[in-house]
C-alpha cells in the first residue's frame, strides 16, 4: 500500500507499507494502515478526484490539520470484501462523506483522510456499488450529481422556472442538466466560448457569453421580461453574488454551493437581496442523494463528456499541484492508478 500525505503546506511525502520502498524504486516513509472502527472493505483505486480543497490545502489557504491524505472521492474495485455484502472485484464509488454516528459529517481531504493511495480501507457506509456499463470517468461525478440534486431540491425547483447559473464549470453544467430533467429552464452565463460550447454539447440550450451581451438584457429577452426565478452560485469559481442578485425576480431564491467549505472569499452587499425579498440558501454536500446520482448516470440522464480537464498518474502529484497554482479549475482533475 502507498499513499501521498500532505505533511505541511507545499510538501507531499509518499508513505508505504513496504519498508524497503515501493515497487517503482522510489523510497517512501513506512506506515501502518489505520483500520476503520466500523465494518469496512479494502479497495483498489482506479481513479480519484482532486478538488479545490486539495489545492487550497497544498497552498495553506484554510484551516487544515496536517498531515492529511488528499482526494475527496474516487472509483475503485473491491480488493477484500471482508464481512460486507460486496463481491471481490466489484466496481464501487468511494464517497467523500464519513458520518461519525452522532449526525456529524466529516468530509474527506478536509477533516478526514482522502483517497490518494493505491489501496484504502473504507467503511462500508462510504462504499456504493456501480451498475455495469457506467464508465470510470463518469463515476468520478457521482458526488457532483448528488450535490446538484440537493441544490435543486433545496430551491424547490418547479417545472418551467428559469434558473441562471454563473460560470460554465463542470458542476454548474451538471446542475443545469439535472434542472432540465426536472423540466426547468437552465441558463448558463460565462465569458468563454469554449466552456459554453461544452455546455451546449451536453444539452444546455440557453447560454450567454457575458463579453458579447449585456447579461441582464439577455435574461430579460429569454424570460420575456420576467427575470430568473432562481439563481445558483458556484462559490469555488465565482463569489460575485451581487451580479446574480440583479438577475432574479422579486421573491426569488439564490443557492450558494461549493466544495471549498473554508469559504474565505465571499464578500457581497446583501442589501439588494433584502430589498427584493430574496431567499438565500447554502449547500455544501450531497450525502442524501448518492444513490439517486448513481441511478441518473446509469440511465444516461446526466452526461459528463468533456468535463475532465486532465488526468495524471498517482506518482505525479507534485507536478499536478504546481501546474494548478493560480488557476480556477472549471473542469475536473483526476488521478489514475496503476
Amino acid at each position: 500500500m502507498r499513499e501521498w500525505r500532505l505533511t505541511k503546506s507545499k510538501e507531499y511525502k509518499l508513505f508505504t507499507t513496504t519498508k524497503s520502498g515501493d515497487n517503482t524504486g522510489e523510497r517512501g516513509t513506512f506506515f501502518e494502515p489505520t483500520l476503520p472502527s466500523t465494518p469496512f472493505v479494502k479497495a483498489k483505486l482506479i481513479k480519484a478526484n482532486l478538488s479545490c480543497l486539495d489545492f487550497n490545502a497544498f497552498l495553506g489557504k484554510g484551516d487544515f490539520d496536517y498531515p492529511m491524505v488528499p482526494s475527496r472521492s474516487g472509483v475503485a474495485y473491491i480488493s477484500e470484501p471482508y464481512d460486507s455484502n460486496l463481491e471481490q472485484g466489484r466496481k464501487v464509488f468511494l464517497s467523500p462523506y464519513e458520518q461519525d454516528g452522532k449526525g456529524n459529517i466529516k468530509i474527506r481531504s478536509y477533516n478526514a483522510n482522502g483517497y490518494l493511495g493505491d489501496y484504502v480501507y473504507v467503511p462500508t457506509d462510504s462504499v456504493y456499488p456501480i451498475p455495469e456499463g457506467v464508465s470510470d470517468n463518469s463515476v468520478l461525478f457521482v458526488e457532483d450529481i448528488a450535490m446538484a440534486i440537493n441544490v435543486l431540491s433545496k430551491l424547490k425547483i418547479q417545472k418551467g422556472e428559469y434558473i441562471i447559473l454563473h460560470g460554465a464549470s463542470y458542476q454548474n453544467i451538471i446542475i443545469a442538466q439535472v434542472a432540465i430533467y426536472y423540466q426547468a429552464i437552465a441558463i448558463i452565463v460565462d465569458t468563454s466560448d469554449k466552456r459554453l460550447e461544452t455546455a451546449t454539447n451536453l444539452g444546455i440550450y440557453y447560454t450567454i457569453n457575458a463579453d458579447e451581451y449585456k447579461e441582464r438584457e439577455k435574461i430579460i429577452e429569454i424570460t420575456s421580461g420576467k427575470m430568473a426565478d432562481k439563481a445558483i452560485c458556484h462559490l469555488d469559481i465565482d463569489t460575485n453574488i451581487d451580479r446574480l442578485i440583479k438577475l432574479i425576480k422579486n421573491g426569488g431564491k439564490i443557492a450558494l454551493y461549493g466544495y471549498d467549505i473554508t469559504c474565505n472569499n465571499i464578500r457581497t452587499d446583501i442589501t439588494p437581496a433584502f430589498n427584493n425579498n430574496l431567499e438565500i440558501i447554502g449547500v455544501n454536500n450531497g450525502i442524501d442523494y448518492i444513490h439517486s446520482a448513481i441511478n441518473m448516470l446509469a440511465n444516461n440522464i446526466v452526461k459528463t463528456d468533456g468535463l475532465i480537464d486532465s488526468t495524471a498518474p498517482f506518482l505525479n502529484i507534485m507536478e499536478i499541484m504546481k501546474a494548478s497554482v493560480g488557476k480556477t479549475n472549471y473542469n475536473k482533475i483526476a488521478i489514475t492508478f496503476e
Side-chain angles (χ1 to χ4, degrees):
M1 293 179 65
R2 297 172 299 168
E3 67 181 27
W4 282 110
R5 295 183 187 178
L6 187 60
T7 52
K8 63 181 181 180
S9 172
K10 299 182 181 178
E11 181 180 271
Y12 272 99
K13 287 186 178 180
L14 184 67
F15 285 71
T16 175
T17 55
T18 304
K19 291 185 178 180
S20 60
D22 67 24
N23 58 14
T24 68
E26 294 196 14
R27 184 174 297 277
T29 303
F30 177 76
F31 80 104
E32 291 280 0
T34 301
L35 301 181
S37 58
T38 57
F40 62 88
V41 300
K42 184 179 182 181
K44 183 184 187 307
L45 267 293
I46 304 170
K47 293 186 177 182
N49 282 315
L50 291 178
S51 76
C52 56
L53 272 178
D54 296 315
F55 296 112
N56 284 346
F58 176 72
L59 295 172
K61 295 181 178 180
D63 183 21
F64 297 97
D65 290 328
Y66 304 100
M68 60 181 292
V69 180
S71 180
R72 63 188 290 129
S73 65
V75 53
Y77 291 120
I78 297 296
S79 173
E80 297 289 347
Y82 300 119
D83 294 328
S84 72
N85 294 322
L86 297 165
E87 64 271 22
Q88 190 174 38
R90 181 66 186 267
K91 185 192 291 186
V92 294
F93 170 69
L94 304 180
S95 168
Y97 312 118
E98 183 177 310
Q99 294 180 292
D100 63 3
K102 300 179 182 178
N104 300 314
I105 300 174
K106 290 186 175 182
I107 297 178
R108 293 185 181 276
S109 78
Y110 178 61
N111 50 13
N113 280 331
Y115 297 114
L116 200 58
D118 50 5
Y119 287 87
V120 290
Y121 292 101
V122 189
T124 54
D125 288 346
S126 296
V127 179
Y128 295 81
I130 297 299
E132 293 289 335
V134 179
S135 70
D136 297 342
N137 282 349
S138 294
V139 177
L140 293 176
F141 292 89
V142 166
E143 182 195 8
D144 308 303
I145 300 169
M147 178 82 88
I149 298 170
N150 196 18
V151 167
L152 296 171
S153 175
K154 292 288 194 299
L155 284 174
K156 295 182 171 61
I157 292 299
Q158 302 294 317
K159 178 180 178 180
E161 286 188 325
Y162 290 95
I163 307 163
I164 186 166
L165 303 99
H166 257 189
S169 63
Y170 71 87
Q171 178 66 80
N172 274 350
I173 292 173
I174 284 174
I175 292 178
Q177 290 184 70
V178 177
I180 291 169
Y181 175 71
Y182 292 155
Q183 301 183 59
I185 303 166
I187 307 165
I188 292 183
V189 180
D190 202 300
T191 57
S192 165
D193 283 332
K194 183 178 179 180
R195 291 194 293 266
L196 290 173
E197 181 181 3
T198 299
T200 300
N201 291 340
L202 291 174
I204 315 307
Y205 182 76
Y206 288 109
T207 62
I208 300 172
N209 188 320
D211 281 345
E212 297 179 9
Y213 299 96
K214 293 181 179 179
E215 56 186 332
R216 181 177 173 84
E217 293 179 5
K218 197 67 177 175
I219 294 297
I220 290 172
E221 176 187 328
I222 293 171
T223 64
S224 299
K226 294 183 291 186
M227 305 303 289
D229 299 281
K230 312 278 172 67
I232 297 172
C233 182
H234 185 184
L235 294 173
D236 300 332
I237 64 163
D238 186 2
T239 57
N240 189 348
I241 305 169
D242 298 358
R243 289 170 57 197
L244 274 177
I245 289 174
K246 297 173 183 177
L247 304 175
I248 311 171
K249 71 179 186 181
N250 192 294
K253 296 180 181 180
I254 180 169
L256 313 179
Y257 81 95
Y259 298 118
D260 181 8
I261 58 177
T262 58
C263 291
N264 291 324
N265 299 318
I266 302 175
R267 300 289 186 274
T268 191
D269 177 11
I270 65 168
T271 304
F274 178 79
N275 290 336
N276 290 326
N277 300 298
L278 301 184
E279 181 179 348
I280 299 177
I281 299 163
V283 182
N284 69 6
N285 72 76
I287 189 170
D288 294 329
Y289 297 100
I290 299 291
H291 287 295
S292 298
I294 293 170
N295 287 336
M296 281 194 167
L297 278 177
N299 289 292
N300 293 313
I301 293 167
V302 174
K303 300 184 184 304
T304 62
D305 302 326
L307 296 183
I308 294 179
D309 182 62
S310 61
T311 59
F314 167 68
L315 290 175
N316 290 8
I317 186 65
M318 281 300 295
E319 288 84 349
I320 300 164
M321 288 295 169
K322 290 177 181 178
S324 297
V325 170
K327 293 183 179 179
T328 299
N329 293 313
Y330 281 84
N331 285 347
K332 191 177 288 289
I333 296 176
I335 301 296
T336 58
F337 296 81
E338 300 167 359

